[in-house]
Coordinates of all heavy atoms in Angstrom, one line a residue:
M1 N 52.1 -191.0 126.8 CA 51.3 -191.5 127.9 C 51.3 -190.5 129.1 O 52.4 -189.9 129.3 CB 51.9 -192.8 128.4 CG 51.7 -194.0 127.5 SD 52.3 -195.5 128.1 CE 54.1 -195.2 128.3
N2 N 50.2 -190.4 129.7 CA 50.3 -189.5 130.9 C 49.3 -190.2 131.9 O 48.8 -191.2 131.8 CB 49.9 -188.1 130.6 CG 48.5 -187.9 130.0 OD1 47.6 -188.7 130.3 ND2 48.4 -186.9 129.2
D3 N 49.1 -189.5 133.0 CA 48.3 -190.0 134.1 C 46.8 -189.6 134.1 O 46.2 -189.5 135.1 CB 48.9 -189.6 135.5 CG 50.3 -190.3 135.6 OD1 50.5 -191.3 135.0 OD2 51.1 -189.7 136.3
D4 N 46.2 -189.2 133.0 CA 44.8 -188.9 132.9 C 44.0 -190.1 133.3 O 44.4 -191.2 133.2 CB 44.4 -188.6 131.4 CG 45.0 -187.3 131.0 OD1 45.6 -186.5 131.8 OD2 45.0 -187.0 129.7
S5 N 42.8 -189.8 133.8 CA 41.9 -190.9 134.2 C 41.5 -191.8 133.0 O 41.0 -192.9 133.2 CB 40.7 -190.4 134.9 OG 40.0 -189.5 134.1
Q6 N 41.5 -191.3 131.8 CA 41.1 -192.0 130.6 C 42.3 -192.7 130.0 O 43.4 -192.1 129.9 CB 40.5 -191.1 129.6 CG 40.0 -191.8 128.4 CD 39.3 -190.8 127.4 OE1 39.3 -189.6 127.6 NE2 38.7 -191.3 126.4
T7 N 42.2 -193.9 129.7 CA 43.3 -194.7 129.1 C 43.6 -194.1 127.7 O 42.8 -193.9 126.9 CB 42.9 -196.2 128.9 OG1 42.6 -196.7 130.2 CG2 44.1 -197.0 128.3
L8 N 44.9 -193.8 127.5 CA 45.3 -193.3 126.2 C 45.7 -194.5 125.3 O 46.1 -195.5 125.8 CB 46.5 -192.4 126.4 CG 46.3 -191.1 127.1 CD1 47.5 -190.3 127.3 CD2 45.2 -190.3 126.4
A9 N 45.6 -194.3 124.0 CA 46.0 -195.3 123.0 C 47.1 -194.7 122.2 O 47.1 -193.5 121.9 CB 44.8 -195.7 122.2
P10 N 48.0 -195.5 121.7 CA 49.1 -195.0 120.8 C 48.4 -194.6 119.5 O 47.3 -195.0 119.1 CB 50.0 -196.2 120.6 CG 49.2 -197.4 121.0 CD 48.2 -196.9 122.0
D11 N 49.1 -193.7 118.8 CA 48.6 -193.2 117.5 C 49.1 -194.0 116.3 O 48.6 -193.9 115.1 CB 49.1 -191.8 117.2 CG 48.5 -190.8 118.3 OD1 47.3 -191.1 118.7 OD2 49.1 -189.9 118.7
S12 N 50.0 -194.9 116.5 CA 50.6 -195.7 115.4 C 51.2 -197.0 115.9 O 51.5 -197.1 117.1 CB 51.7 -194.9 114.7 OG 52.8 -194.7 115.5
A13 N 51.5 -197.9 115.0 CA 52.2 -199.1 115.4 C 53.5 -198.9 115.9 O 54.0 -199.5 116.9 CB 52.2 -200.1 114.2
Y14 N 54.2 -197.9 115.3 CA 55.6 -197.5 115.8 C 55.5 -197.0 117.3 O 56.3 -197.5 118.1 CB 56.2 -196.4 114.9 CG 57.5 -195.9 115.5 CD1 58.7 -196.6 115.2 CD2 57.6 -194.7 116.2 CE1 59.9 -196.2 115.7 CE2 58.8 -194.3 116.6 CZ 59.9 -195.0 116.4 OH 61.2 -194.5 116.9
Q15 N 54.6 -196.1 117.6 CA 54.4 -195.7 118.9 C 54.0 -196.8 119.9 O 54.5 -196.8 121.0 CB 53.4 -194.5 118.9 CG 53.3 -193.8 120.3 CD 52.4 -192.7 120.3 OE1 51.2 -192.8 119.9 NE2 52.8 -191.5 120.8
A16 N 53.2 -197.7 119.5 CA 52.8 -198.8 120.3 C 54.0 -199.7 120.6 O 54.2 -200.1 121.8 CB 51.7 -199.7 119.6
R17 N 54.8 -199.9 119.6 CA 56.1 -200.7 119.9 C 57.0 -200.0 120.8 O 57.6 -200.6 121.7 CB 56.8 -201.0 118.5 CG 56.1 -201.9 117.6 CD 57.0 -202.2 116.4 NE 56.1 -202.6 115.3 CZ 55.8 -201.8 114.2 NH1 56.5 -200.6 114.0 NH2 55.0 -202.2 113.3
Q18 N 57.1 -198.7 120.7 CA 57.9 -197.9 121.6 C 57.4 -198.0 123.1 O 58.2 -198.2 124.0 CB 58.0 -196.4 121.2 CG 58.7 -196.2 119.9 CD 60.2 -196.7 119.9 OE1 60.5 -197.7 119.3 NE2 61.0 -196.0 120.5
W19 N 56.1 -197.8 123.2 CA 55.5 -197.9 124.6 C 55.8 -199.3 125.2 O 56.2 -199.4 126.4 CB 54.1 -197.6 124.5 CG 53.7 -196.1 124.3 CD1 54.5 -195.1 123.9 CD2 52.4 -195.6 124.3 NE1 53.8 -194.0 123.7 CE2 52.5 -194.2 124.0 CE3 51.2 -196.1 124.6 CZ2 51.4 -193.3 123.9 CZ3 50.1 -195.3 124.5 CH2 50.2 -193.9 124.2
I20 N 55.5 -200.3 124.4 CA 55.6 -201.7 124.9 C 57.1 -201.9 125.2 O 57.4 -202.5 126.3 CB 55.1 -202.7 123.8 CG1 53.6 -202.6 123.8 CG2 55.5 -204.1 124.2 CD1 53.0 -203.3 122.6
A21 N 58.0 -201.6 124.4 CA 59.4 -201.8 124.6 C 59.9 -201.1 125.9 O 60.6 -201.7 126.7 CB 60.3 -201.4 123.4
G22 N 59.5 -199.9 126.1 CA 60.0 -199.1 127.2 C 59.5 -199.7 128.5 O 60.2 -199.9 129.5
L23 N 58.2 -200.0 128.5 CA 57.6 -200.5 129.7 C 58.0 -202.0 130.0 O 58.3 -202.3 131.2 CB 56.0 -200.5 129.7 CG 55.5 -199.1 129.9 CD1 54.0 -199.0 129.5 CD2 55.7 -198.6 131.3
S24 N 58.2 -202.8 128.9 CA 58.7 -204.1 129.2 C 60.1 -204.1 129.8 O 60.4 -204.9 130.7 CB 58.7 -204.9 127.8 OG 57.5 -205.1 127.3
A25 N 60.9 -203.2 129.4 CA 62.3 -203.1 129.9 C 62.2 -202.7 131.4 O 62.9 -203.3 132.2 CB 63.1 -202.0 129.1
K26 N 61.4 -201.8 131.7 CA 61.3 -201.4 133.2 C 60.7 -202.5 134.0 O 61.2 -202.7 135.1 CB 60.3 -200.2 133.3 CG 60.9 -198.9 132.7 CD 59.9 -197.7 132.9 CE 60.5 -196.5 132.3 NZ 59.6 -195.3 132.4
L27 N 59.7 -203.3 133.4 CA 59.2 -204.4 134.2 C 60.3 -205.5 134.4 O 60.4 -206.0 135.5 CB 58.0 -205.0 133.4 CG 56.7 -204.2 133.3 CD1 55.8 -204.8 132.3 CD2 56.0 -204.0 134.7
A28 N 61.0 -205.7 133.4 CA 62.1 -206.7 133.5 C 63.2 -206.3 134.5 O 63.6 -207.1 135.3 CB 62.7 -207.0 132.1
E29 N 63.5 -205.0 134.5 CA 64.5 -204.5 135.4 C 64.1 -204.8 136.9 O 65.0 -205.0 137.7 CB 64.7 -203.0 135.3 CG 65.6 -202.6 134.1 CD 65.6 -201.0 134.0 OE1 65.1 -200.3 134.9 OE2 66.0 -200.5 132.9
R30 N 62.8 -204.6 137.1 CA 62.3 -204.8 138.5 C 61.8 -206.2 138.7 O 61.4 -206.5 139.9 CB 61.2 -203.8 138.7 CG 61.7 -202.3 138.7 CD 60.6 -201.5 139.1 NE 61.0 -200.0 138.9 CZ 60.2 -199.0 139.2 NH1 59.0 -199.3 139.7 NH2 60.5 -197.8 139.0
G31 N 61.9 -207.1 137.8 CA 61.5 -208.4 138.0 C 60.0 -208.6 138.1 O 59.5 -209.6 138.7
I32 N 59.3 -207.7 137.5 CA 57.8 -207.8 137.6 C 57.3 -208.6 136.4 O 57.7 -208.4 135.2 CB 57.2 -206.4 137.5 CG1 57.6 -205.6 138.7 CG2 55.6 -206.5 137.5 CD1 57.2 -204.1 138.7
V33 N 56.5 -209.6 136.6 CA 55.9 -210.4 135.6 C 54.5 -209.9 135.3 O 53.7 -209.8 136.2 CB 55.9 -211.9 136.0 CG1 55.3 -212.7 134.9 CG2 57.3 -212.4 136.3
L34 N 54.3 -209.6 134.0 CA 53.0 -209.2 133.6 C 52.6 -209.9 132.4 O 53.5 -210.4 131.6 CB 53.0 -207.7 133.3 CG 51.7 -206.9 133.0 CD1 50.8 -206.9 134.2 CD2 52.0 -205.5 132.5
R35 N 51.3 -210.1 132.1 CA 50.9 -210.8 130.9 C 51.6 -210.2 129.6 O 51.9 -209.0 129.7 CB 49.4 -210.8 130.7 CG 48.8 -209.5 130.4 CD 47.3 -209.5 130.3 NE 46.7 -208.2 130.3 CZ 46.6 -207.5 129.2 NH1 47.1 -207.9 128.0 NH2 46.1 -206.3 129.2
D36 N 51.7 -211.0 128.6 CA 52.3 -210.5 127.4 C 51.5 -209.3 126.8 O 50.3 -209.3 126.9 CB 52.5 -211.5 126.3 CG 53.5 -212.6 126.7 OD1 54.4 -212.3 127.5 OD2 53.4 -213.7 126.2
P37 N 52.1 -208.4 126.2 CA 51.4 -207.3 125.5 C 50.6 -207.8 124.3 O 50.9 -208.9 123.8 CB 52.5 -206.3 125.1 CG 53.7 -207.1 125.0 CD 53.6 -208.2 126.0
P38 N 49.6 -207.1 123.9 CA 48.8 -207.6 122.7 C 49.7 -207.7 121.4 O 50.6 -206.9 121.3 CB 47.7 -206.6 122.5 CG 48.1 -205.4 123.4 CD 49.1 -205.8 124.4
E39 N 49.4 -208.7 120.6 CA 50.1 -208.8 119.4 C 49.5 -207.9 118.3 O 48.3 -207.7 118.3 CB 50.0 -210.3 118.9 CG 50.8 -211.2 119.8 CD 50.8 -212.7 119.3 OE1 50.7 -212.8 118.0 OE2 50.9 -213.6 120.1
E40 N 50.3 -207.5 117.4 CA 49.8 -206.6 116.3 C 48.9 -207.4 115.4 O 49.1 -208.6 115.2 CB 51.0 -206.1 115.5 CG 51.8 -205.0 116.2 CD 52.9 -204.4 115.3 OE1 52.8 -204.5 114.1 OE2 53.8 -203.8 115.8
P41 N 47.9 -206.8 114.9 CA 47.0 -207.5 114.0 C 47.6 -207.9 112.7 O 48.6 -207.2 112.2 CB 45.9 -206.4 113.7 CG 46.3 -205.2 114.3 CD 47.5 -205.4 115.1
T42 N 47.1 -208.9 112.1 CA 47.7 -209.4 110.8 C 46.6 -209.5 109.7 O 46.8 -209.9 108.6 CB 48.3 -210.8 111.0 OG1 47.3 -211.7 111.5 CG2 49.5 -210.8 111.9
S43 N 45.4 -209.1 110.1 CA 44.2 -209.2 109.2 C 43.6 -207.9 108.7 O 42.5 -207.9 108.2 CB 43.1 -210.0 109.9 OG 42.7 -209.3 111.1
C44 N 44.4 -206.8 108.7 CA 43.8 -205.6 108.3 C 43.7 -205.5 106.7 O 44.7 -205.9 106.0 CB 44.7 -204.4 108.7 SG 44.2 -202.8 108.2
C45 N 42.6 -205.1 106.3 CA 42.4 -205.0 104.8 C 43.0 -203.7 104.2 O 43.1 -203.6 103.0 CB 41.0 -205.2 104.4 SG 39.9 -203.8 105.0
G46 N 43.2 -202.7 105.0 CA 43.8 -201.5 104.5 C 42.8 -200.5 104.0 O 43.2 -199.5 103.3
R47 N 41.5 -200.8 104.2 CA 40.5 -199.9 103.6 C 40.0 -198.8 104.6 O 39.1 -198.1 104.3 CB 39.3 -200.7 103.1 CG 39.7 -201.5 101.8 CD 38.4 -202.2 101.3 NE 38.6 -203.6 101.8 CZ 37.6 -204.5 101.7 NH1 36.4 -204.2 101.2 NH2 37.8 -205.7 102.1
G48 N 40.5 -198.7 105.7 CA 40.2 -197.7 106.7 C 38.8 -198.0 107.3 O 38.0 -197.0 107.5
C49 N 38.5 -199.2 107.5 CA 37.1 -199.6 108.0 C 36.9 -198.9 109.4 O 37.8 -198.7 110.2 CB 37.0 -201.1 108.2 SG 37.3 -202.0 106.7
N50 N 35.6 -198.6 109.7 CA 35.2 -198.2 111.0 C 35.3 -199.4 111.9 O 34.7 -200.4 111.6 CB 33.7 -197.7 110.9 CG 33.3 -197.1 112.2 OD1 34.1 -196.7 113.1 ND2 32.0 -196.9 112.4
G51 N 36.0 -199.3 113.0 CA 36.2 -200.4 113.9 C 37.3 -201.3 113.4 O 37.3 -202.5 113.6
C52 N 38.3 -200.7 112.7 CA 39.5 -201.4 112.2 C 40.2 -202.2 113.3 O 40.1 -201.8 114.5 CB 40.5 -200.4 111.6 SG 42.0 -201.2 111.0
V53 N 40.8 -203.3 112.9 CA 41.5 -204.1 113.9 C 42.6 -203.3 114.6 O 42.9 -203.6 115.7 CB 42.1 -205.4 113.2 CG1 40.9 -206.3 112.8 CG2 43.0 -205.1 112.1
W54 N 43.1 -202.4 113.9 CA 44.2 -201.6 114.5 C 43.7 -200.7 115.6 O 44.3 -200.4 116.6 CB 44.9 -200.7 113.4 CG 45.8 -201.5 112.6 CD1 45.6 -202.0 111.4 CD2 47.2 -201.9 113.0 NE1 46.7 -202.7 111.0 CE2 47.7 -202.7 112.0 CE3 47.9 -201.7 114.1 CZ2 48.9 -203.3 112.0 CZ3 49.2 -202.3 114.2 CH2 49.7 -203.0 113.1
E55 N 42.4 -200.2 115.5 CA 41.8 -199.4 116.6 C 41.7 -200.3 117.8 O 42.0 -199.8 118.9 CB 40.4 -198.9 116.2 CG 40.4 -197.9 115.1 CD 39.0 -197.5 114.6 OE1 38.0 -197.8 115.4 OE2 38.9 -197.0 113.5
G56 N 41.3 -201.5 117.7 CA 41.2 -202.4 118.8 C 42.5 -202.7 119.4 O 42.7 -202.7 120.6
Y57 N 43.5 -202.9 118.6 CA 44.9 -203.1 119.0 C 45.4 -201.9 119.8 O 46.0 -202.1 120.9 CB 45.8 -203.4 117.8 CG 47.2 -203.4 118.1 CD1 47.8 -204.5 118.9 CD2 48.1 -202.4 117.7 CE1 49.1 -204.6 119.2 CE2 49.5 -202.5 118.0 CZ 50.0 -203.5 118.8 OH 51.3 -203.5 119.1
F58 N 45.2 -200.7 119.2 CA 45.8 -199.6 119.9 C 45.1 -199.4 121.3 O 45.8 -199.0 122.3 CB 45.5 -198.3 119.1 CG 46.4 -198.3 117.8 CD1 45.9 -197.6 116.7 CD2 47.6 -198.9 117.7 CE1 46.6 -197.6 115.6 CE2 48.3 -198.9 116.6 CZ 47.9 -198.2 115.5
N59 N 43.8 -199.6 121.4 CA 43.2 -199.6 122.7 C 43.7 -200.6 123.6 O 43.9 -200.4 124.9 CB 41.6 -199.7 122.5 CG 41.0 -198.5 121.9 OD1 41.5 -197.4 122.1 ND2 39.9 -198.7 121.2
A60 N 43.9 -201.8 123.1 CA 44.5 -202.9 124.0 C 45.9 -202.6 124.4 O 46.2 -202.8 125.6 CB 44.5 -204.2 123.2
V61 N 46.7 -202.0 123.6 CA 48.0 -201.6 124.0 C 47.9 -200.5 125.1 O 48.7 -200.5 126.1 CB 48.8 -201.0 122.8 CG1 50.1 -200.3 123.2 CG2 49.2 -202.1 121.8
G62 N 47.0 -199.6 124.9 CA 46.8 -198.5 126.0 C 46.5 -199.1 127.3 O 47.0 -198.7 128.3
Y63 N 45.6 -200.1 127.3 CA 45.2 -200.8 128.5 C 46.3 -201.5 129.1 O 46.6 -201.5 130.3 CB 44.0 -201.7 128.2 CG 43.4 -202.4 129.5 CD1 42.8 -201.6 130.5 CD2 43.6 -203.7 129.6 CE1 42.3 -202.2 131.6 CE2 43.1 -204.4 130.8 CZ 42.5 -203.6 131.7 OH 42.0 -204.3 132.9
W64 N 47.1 -202.2 128.3 CA 48.3 -203.0 128.8 C 49.3 -202.1 129.4 O 49.8 -202.4 130.5 CB 48.9 -203.8 127.6 CG 50.1 -204.7 128.1 CD1 50.0 -205.9 128.5 CD2 51.5 -204.3 128.1 NE1 51.3 -206.4 128.9 CE2 52.2 -205.4 128.7 CE3 52.2 -203.1 127.8 CZ2 53.6 -205.3 128.9 CZ3 53.5 -203.1 128.0 CH2 54.2 -204.2 128.5
C65 N 49.5 -200.9 128.8 CA 50.5 -200.0 129.3 C 50.0 -199.4 130.6 O 50.8 -199.2 131.5 CB 50.7 -198.8 128.3 SG 51.6 -199.3 126.8
E66 N 48.7 -199.2 130.7 CA 48.1 -198.7 132.0 C 48.4 -199.8 133.1 O 48.8 -199.4 134.2 CB 46.6 -198.5 131.8 CG 46.0 -197.9 133.0 CD 44.5 -197.7 132.8 OE1 44.1 -196.7 132.2 OE2 43.7 -198.6 133.2
Q67 N 48.2 -201.0 132.8 CA 48.4 -202.0 133.8 C 49.9 -202.2 134.2 O 50.3 -202.4 135.3 CB 47.9 -203.4 133.2 CG 46.4 -203.5 133.1 CD 46.0 -204.9 132.7 OE1 46.6 -205.4 131.7 NE2 44.9 -205.4 133.2
A68 N 50.7 -202.0 133.2 CA 52.2 -202.1 133.4 C 52.6 -200.9 134.3 O 53.4 -201.1 135.3 CB 53.0 -202.0 132.1
Q69 N 52.1 -199.7 134.1 CA 52.4 -198.6 134.9 C 51.9 -198.8 136.3 O 52.6 -198.4 137.3 CB 51.8 -197.3 134.3 CG 52.5 -196.9 133.1 CD 51.9 -195.7 132.4 OE1 50.7 -195.5 132.5 NE2 52.7 -194.9 131.7
E70 N 50.7 -199.4 136.5 CA 50.2 -199.6 137.8 C 51.1 -200.6 138.6 O 51.3 -200.5 139.7 CB 48.8 -200.1 137.7 CG 47.8 -199.0 137.3 CD 46.4 -199.6 137.1 OE1 46.1 -200.8 137.4 OE2 45.5 -198.8 136.7
A71 N 51.5 -201.6 137.9 CA 52.4 -202.7 138.5 C 53.7 -202.0 138.9 O 54.2 -202.3 140.0 CB 52.6 -203.8 137.5
L72 N 54.3 -201.2 138.1 CA 55.5 -200.4 138.5 C 55.3 -199.5 139.7 O 56.2 -199.5 140.6 CB 56.0 -199.7 137.3 CG 56.6 -200.5 136.1 CD1 56.7 -199.6 134.9 CD2 57.9 -201.1 136.5
Q73 N 54.2 -198.9 139.7 CA 53.9 -197.9 140.9 C 53.7 -198.7 142.1 O 54.1 -198.3 143.2 CB 52.7 -197.0 140.5 CG 53.0 -196.0 139.5 CD 51.7 -195.2 139.1 OE1 50.6 -195.5 139.5 NE2 51.9 -194.2 138.2
K74 N 53.0 -199.9 142.0 CA 52.8 -200.7 143.2 C 54.1 -201.2 143.9 O 54.2 -201.2 145.1 CB 51.9 -201.9 142.9 CG 50.4 -201.5 142.7 CD 49.6 -202.8 142.4 CE 48.2 -202.4 142.2 NZ 47.3 -203.5 141.8
Q75 N 55.0 -201.5 143.0 CA 56.3 -202.0 143.6 C 57.1 -200.8 144.1 O 57.9 -201.1 145.0 CB 57.1 -202.7 142.5 CG 58.2 -203.4 143.1 CD 59.2 -204.0 142.0 OE1 59.5 -203.3 141.1 NE2 59.6 -205.2 142.2
G76 N 56.9 -199.7 143.6 CA 57.5 -198.4 144.1 C 58.9 -198.4 143.9 O 59.9 -198.0 144.2

């Protein structure tokens, strides 16, 4: 993750879990309440479809992480 104007998305489920865990811990340390992060998909067929549920999930995780970082910055 970096501070580019474009929202970044994780490259894998493992990376998504790492980003969520790290930011969730920081939010909890500071007592900041944020909506729950997106849940991992359970309906992937594994065929590499265009518009796979994982693509949407990774984008949603990127957006959640962006919101978490903004909340942390606002609190300073």
Side-chain angles (χ1 to χ4, degrees):
M1 289 182 299
N2 62 29
D3 294 331
D4 291 347
S5 61
Q6 184 177 5
T7 300
L8 295 179
D11 295 324
S12 66
Y14 175 79
Q15 188 176 49
R17 288 183 210 111
Q18 294 299 108
W19 289 8
I20 290 168
L23 286 168
S24 292
K26 288 179 184 178
L27 292 167
E29 280 176 14
R30 296 190 188 177
I32 299 172
V33 178
L34 187 66
R35 66 181 173 83
D36 290 337
E39 292 186 25
E40 288 187 18
T42 58
S43 60
C44 179
C45 66
R47 289 185 259 170
C49 302
N50 186 20
C52 176
V53 295
W54 283 100
E55 291 174 21
Y57 170 72
F58 293 150
N59 288 330
V61 167
Y63 183 68
W64 183 89
C65 289
E66 182 180 279
Q67 290 182 320
Q69 288 174 332
E70 288 174 6
L72 290 165
Q73 288 174 354
K74 283 181 184 177
Q75 191 190 43

